[in-house]
Amino acid sequence: MDNTIKYLHLKCNGKNAIEIAREIAASAITPLYAIKRIREIFPHLSLMESKEIVIIATTEHKSLYDYQGSLFSDLEEFGRILEEEEENL
């Protein structure tokens, strides 16, 4: 699912939400700061929508759902590595 188009129509000072999020994320210390700034610029957005904009702008994922789905494989890999370490002790 690609939600990018949904956010390309949100504009502020001639820039769309994705462009704004990329600029903020490039200079932000943490992604949480970028999410907070997006909510300040577009106060009608929910926290989830703001997070999704930052995810789309800063990763290869095209929706929050896709991003969260990718975390499962990372957690599984982490679990596998921990199990291997325990076996080698």
Side-chain angles (χ1 to χ4, degrees):
M1 172 189 335
D2 188 342
N3 288 339
T4 305
I5 293 174
K6 176 179 172 181
Y7 302 114
L8 292 176
H9 298 289
L10 293 174
K11 303 253 183 191
C12 181
N13 297 327
K15 295 180 183 176
N16 66 55
I18 304 294
E19 292 171 319
I20 294 168
R22 280 190 186 119
E23 289 176 5
I24 294 168
S27 64
I29 297 169
T30 69
L32 292 175
Y33 177 79
I35 293 167
K36 179 181 178 246
R37 286 290 299 135
I38 290 296
R39 287 202 72 199
E40 290 170 355
I41 295 167
F42 302 103
H44 62 282
L45 293 176
S46 69
L47 179 58
M48 286 180 54
E49 289 170 318
S50 299
K51 182 177 179 181
E52 184 168 58
I53 290 170
V54 172
I55 293 299
I56 291 169
T58 60
T59 70
E60 73 279 0
H61 302 289
K62 298 300 179 190
S63 73
L64 185 56
Y65 179 81
D66 293 342
Y67 171 74
Q68 290 174 329
S70 74
L71 294 176
F72 291 121
S73 61
D74 292 342
L75 288 172
E76 289 173 347
E77 177 66 12
F78 180 66
R80 187 188 61 73
I81 291 169
L82 287 177
E83 286 175 7
E84 285 178 4
E85 286 179 356
E86 288 177 5
E87 290 173 1
N88 293 330
L89 290 177

